[in-house]
Structures are given as C-alpha cells and as structure tokens.
C-alpha cells in the first residue's frame, strides 16, 4: 500500500531544536522562562494589534479561562456556534453552564448573525441573558465579524473568538482572534503551526492577561507560603513547548501561504467538475489561512456522495474527513437549546475536508488529483 497522506500533519521548520536546546542548557524546563516570554511576544507582533498573549497548555484551556474571566458560573447560559469541534463547547459545561447553539450561514459556514440575534432576544425574554458568545472561525474562514461584534455590543455580552483554526486569517485586514474581549489560539499537532500541544489566550488588557497567568498557575496568592483564595488550574505552557512555538513562528507565514496554495490546487481541480463547490472566501473582506480545504459534494448533480469520495481516498491510503458534526446534533448536547434552520446539518451531510498539509509533496498532490479524476 502507498504511504499514507494525512489530512494535516505537523510541519517543522528546523529551528525548533535551537530554542529547545537553549532551554535545556539553561535548565528552563518549568512553565515560565525565556521561550514562554518570547513566544508570547512573537504572537503579539504577528497579530499586529495592541494585545497581550498568554500561552497555555491547550486551546481548550484558553476557552475555559476566558469563560471564567467573563464571569460564567453554574446555571448561566453561553451562546456557541454549533458548527465546530467539541472543544469550543465543552468548557461551557466545565463551568456548569448551559450552551445555546447557533446555526451557520452559508457564506462562511460560521455563526449566523440573524440566528444569533434571535437567540439572544429569546433567552432574554425567558429571563436568561447569556453571559458570553463563542464565535468560531471555521477551518480558518473568518466569521462575519462586523455583524457579530455589533450584536454583542448592542446586548453588552462578552465576545470570545475561537480562532484555534484561524491563526494568520484576517477580516478586513484585522487578525482573527483580536476582535472579541478574548481570542483563542491552538497549537495542536494538526494546526497551521504546532507545539505538539498548546494554546493561547489573546487579551486586550494587561489585567486580563495577568489574571490568566494567575489562574493558569494554580492561583497562588502573593505570599511566602502556598495560599490560595481562588480556584486555580495547571494550564500554563512549559518553556520547552514554547521553544517549539518560537521555531514555528519563524515559518508561520510560509505555512499560511502553503495552505492557501493547497486551496488553489483544489479550486483548479474542481473547476470543471459540476456539483462540487470548494469552500472559499465570499469576498475580499475575508482572508482565510485555509487551514483545511473543504468541499461540498451535491449528490443530486454528481450522482455520488461525499462519503463515496472519502472511501475512494481511503482505498489509496489518503485521509479525508467529514466536516464537524454540529454540536446540536451531538448526543451529549441533545437537550441544549438551538436556534437556526438546517444550514449546518446540510453542510455536515455533504461536506468533506481534504488533505491540506503545508508539507505535501508534488507526488502526493498528484496522487490526490488522480483519485479525484478517477472518481468523477
């Protein structure tokens, strides 16, 4: 069998070991040190906005801390995009709160502003104003941030941007992750850059960052002994892991360019195939890193389903994957409120994520193209 082509595999730049070796040489192996500080500064410079970044053990940890800093407690409600990975919604349950799921709109596949407004008004009418809104930039595609920011501001609800998949993406020239009160980044193994595992919380004030660092290091009070007046968490990133991040930051824009080139590769392949739509920016306001290139297969036109295509790829040892199953369709969230129509459900039914790695070779791209050509 041919060597496996992964959906999105790690892609090292080469300088990661330099930072890791420095950490070992200086014995900085704790959740603090020069690499932690340097990685945070690198991210702040890349985001190109006056932000304060705290690097953490995971993007999920960042969402959890963002919710805590927004005051989310047991019995509260938090609005969340339904079309997303479960890590966007799980921390709501960590807080003892209830998620309220919002459908997608068809342009960006992200949170529908119309359904968002309807949900807020209905929850308020029922005596339960949501404490926060979690919007996701799906597969790197920016959401319709003008409308969503406006709605959050109108109802004075904190906005949390899950930009775990969108480092390097921009909306109207502004970096994703810098619009809300908090932004979330992820450096999981399959992300556009990786630290093997890890994440970050993007804050707009030093006070918010300081509180994030405090909570993520077990909330130890300023005392010579161990004293705790708040519940804390072991969520801080280590200096070793941050060293990988520093090396990855040196090649981040190259990785964005390579992912966008993979998107263009698929646009070219499917250009003459009726019934297949490549997920692309709706207009020039949107700049996606195209973390994962995705398509919609219309079985009424092609006579084939996205599952047929997934299995055809699998026969040649090529990984592809259905789109995220919406959260409101998940057994664990079956009783959660949901607002919208069936946009996200239809996307899940017909959508497929294709191999998108920045390290795919010409030979691997040729194998992918051959499977598609034979299939259609």
């Amino acid at each position: 069998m041919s060597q496996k082509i992964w959906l999105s595999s790690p892609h090292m730049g080469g300088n990661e070991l330099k930072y890791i070796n420095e950490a070992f040489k200086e014995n900085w192996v704790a959740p603090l040190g020069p690499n932690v500080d340097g990685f945070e500064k690198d991210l702040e410079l890349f985001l190109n906005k006056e932000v304060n970044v705290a690097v953490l053990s995971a993007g999920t940890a960042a969402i959890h801390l963002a919710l805590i800093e927004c005051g989310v407690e047991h019995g509260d409600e938090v609005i969340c995009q339904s079309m997303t990975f479960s890590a966007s919604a799980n921390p709501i349950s960590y807080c003892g709160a209830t998620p309220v799921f919002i459908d997608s709109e068809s342009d960006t596949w992200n949170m529908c502003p119309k359904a968002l407004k309807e949900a807020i008004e209905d929850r308020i009418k029922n005596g339960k104003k949501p404490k926060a809104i979690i919007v996701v930039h799906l597969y790197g595609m920016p959401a319709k941030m003008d409308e969503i920011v406006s709605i959050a501001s109108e109802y004075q609800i904190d906005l949390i941007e899950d930009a775990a998949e969108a480092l390097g993406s921009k909306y109207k020239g502004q970096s994703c992750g810098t619009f809300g009160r908090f932004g979330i980044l992820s450096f999981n193994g399959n992300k556009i850059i990786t630290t093997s595992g890890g994440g970050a919380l993007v804050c707009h004030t030093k006070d918010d960052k300081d509180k994030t660092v405090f909570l993520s290091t077990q909330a130890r009070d300023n005392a010579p002994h161990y004293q705790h007046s708040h519940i804390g968490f072991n969520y801080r990133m280590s200096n070793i892991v941050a060293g990988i991040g520093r090396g990855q930051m040196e090649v981040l824009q190259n990785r964005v360019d390579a992912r966008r080139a993979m998107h263009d590769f698929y646009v070219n392949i499917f250009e003459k195939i009726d019934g297949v739509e490549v997920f692309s920016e709706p207009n020039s306001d949107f700049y996606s890193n195209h973390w994962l290139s995705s398509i919609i297969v219309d079985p009424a036109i092609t006579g084939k389903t996205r599952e047929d295509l997934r299995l055809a790829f699998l026969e040649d040892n090529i990984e592809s994957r259905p789109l995220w199953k919406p959260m409101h369709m998940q057994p664990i969230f079956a009783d959660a409120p949901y607002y919208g129509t069936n946009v996200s459900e239809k996307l899940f039914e017909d959508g497929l994520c294709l191999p998108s790695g920045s390290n795919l070779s010409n030979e691997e791209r040729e194998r992918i193209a051959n499977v598609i050509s034979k299939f259609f």
Side-chain angles (χ1 to χ4, degrees):
M1 178 169 287
S2 301
Q3 187 173 357
K4 183 160 186 173
I5 296 176
W6 297 94
L7 187 74
S8 178
S9 63
H11 189 184
M12 295 294 100
N15 268 347
E16 293 85 0
L17 276 176
K18 178 185 77 171
Y19 296 100
I20 294 170
N21 286 335
E22 286 175 359
F24 274 101
K25 183 179 178 181
E26 297 167 4
N27 203 31
W28 280 108
V29 294
L32 76 166
N35 284 335
V36 171
D37 297 338
F39 190 24
E40 290 175 343
K41 290 299 179 186
D42 292 343
L43 287 164
E44 289 165 3
L45 287 171
F46 184 83
L47 294 171
N48 197 27
K49 192 171 175 65
E50 293 298 319
V51 292
N52 297 265
V53 175
V55 290
L56 303 166
S57 59
T60 311
I63 296 176
H64 189 194
L65 293 183
L67 291 170
I68 290 170
E69 294 190 53
C70 289
V72 176
E73 298 177 339
H74 183 84
D76 288 334
E77 291 187 348
V78 175
I79 286 178
C80 183
Q81 186 165 310
S82 185
M83 190 72 174
T84 186
F85 179 52
S86 63
S88 301
N90 284 340
I92 300 171
S93 296
Y94 300 170
C95 295
T98 299
V100 176
F101 292 115
I102 307 297
D103 197 12
S104 300
E105 38 79 13
S106 57
D107 292 334
T108 72
W109 300 2
N110 291 315
M111 183 177 283
C112 173
K114 181 179 178 181
L116 171 62
K117 191 176 180 71
E118 176 191 347
I120 293 171
E121 291 180 348
D122 189 55
R123 304 320 291 176
I124 291 174
K125 186 175 68 176
N126 285 281
K128 204 77 172 177
K129 180 181 176 181
K131 273 287 186 74
I133 299 167
I134 300 175
V135 61
V136 183
H137 303 297
L138 194 72
Y139 303 132
M141 185 64 68
K144 293 184 174 179
M145 293 310 295
D146 278 353
E147 294 96 320
I148 291 169
V149 168
S150 176
I151 292 169
S153 177
E154 177 184 352
Y155 292 96
Q156 297 184 311
I157 301 174
D158 283 333
L159 180 63
I160 299 169
E161 274 181 274
D162 184 345
E165 302 169 4
L167 182 59
S169 298
K170 297 180 180 181
Y171 176 75
K172 292 187 175 180
Q174 181 175 333
S175 294
C176 290
T178 65
F179 288 86
R181 178 182 172 188
F182 294 106
I184 310 302
L185 303 176
S186 172
F187 313 113
N188 191 28
N190 63 0
K191 293 300 188 292
I192 197 152
I193 62 169
T194 182
T195 57
S196 74
L201 188 61
V202 181
C203 310
H204 285 273
T205 68
K206 186 176 183 300
D207 284 347
D208 278 346
K209 176 183 174 175
D210 289 345
K211 186 172 182 181
T212 301
V213 173
F214 172 71
L215 291 172
S216 68
T217 51
Q218 300 291 18
R220 181 184 174 187
D221 292 342
N222 186 19
H225 53 277
Y226 284 91
Q227 178 167 303
H228 305 271
S229 303
H230 300 81
I231 295 295
F233 306 88
N234 186 18
Y235 281 169
R236 194 71 162 127
M237 180 179 284
S238 82
N239 198 54
I240 301 297
V241 169
I244 304 174
R246 295 213 69 187
Q248 288 274 279
M249 287 301 295
E250 295 180 4
V251 295
L252 174 52
Q253 190 55 54
N254 293 336
R255 300 296 181 257
V256 172
D257 294 343
R259 299 267 178 164
R260 287 177 59 82
M262 280 305 300
H263 167 265
D264 293 343
F265 165 79
Y266 288 118
V267 169
N268 183 61
I269 286 178
F270 289 109
E271 193 172 28
K272 296 180 181 179
I273 299 177
D274 291 336
V276 178
E277 177 187 347
V278 179
F279 184 34
S280 301
E281 292 96 334
N283 58 56
S284 60
D285 288 343
F286 301 82
Y287 178 90
S288 174
N289 65 10
H290 290 297
W291 170 59
L292 290 185
S293 291
S294 305
I295 57 173
I296 296 296
V297 180
D298 187 340
I301 297 174
T302 63
K304 303 170 186 288
T305 68
R306 60 96 164 142
E307 184 61 9
D308 295 330
L309 179 56
R310 188 187 72 81
L311 294 174
F313 276 128
L314 194 60
E315 286 182 9
D316 195 31
N317 206 21
I318 298 172
E319 183 184 24
S320 61
R321 189 179 297 165
L323 303 189
W324 300 128
K325 184 176 182 179
M327 290 298 100
H328 74 275
M329 298 175 68
Q330 298 287 351
I332 194 66
F333 294 123
D335 296 330
Y338 168 71
Y339 293 82
T341 54
N342 66 345
V343 173
S344 57
E345 294 176 23
K346 186 64 176 170
L347 289 170
F348 170 63
E349 182 180 349
D350 295 334
L352 190 70
C353 297
L354 305 176
S356 305
S358 52
N359 53 359
L360 290 172
S361 66
N362 289 333
E363 180 184 357
E364 288 170 324
R365 281 189 285 270
E366 186 176 343
R367 278 177 59 194
I368 293 167
N370 285 339
V371 170
I372 293 171
S373 177
K374 289 177 183 177
F375 180 78
F376 287 103

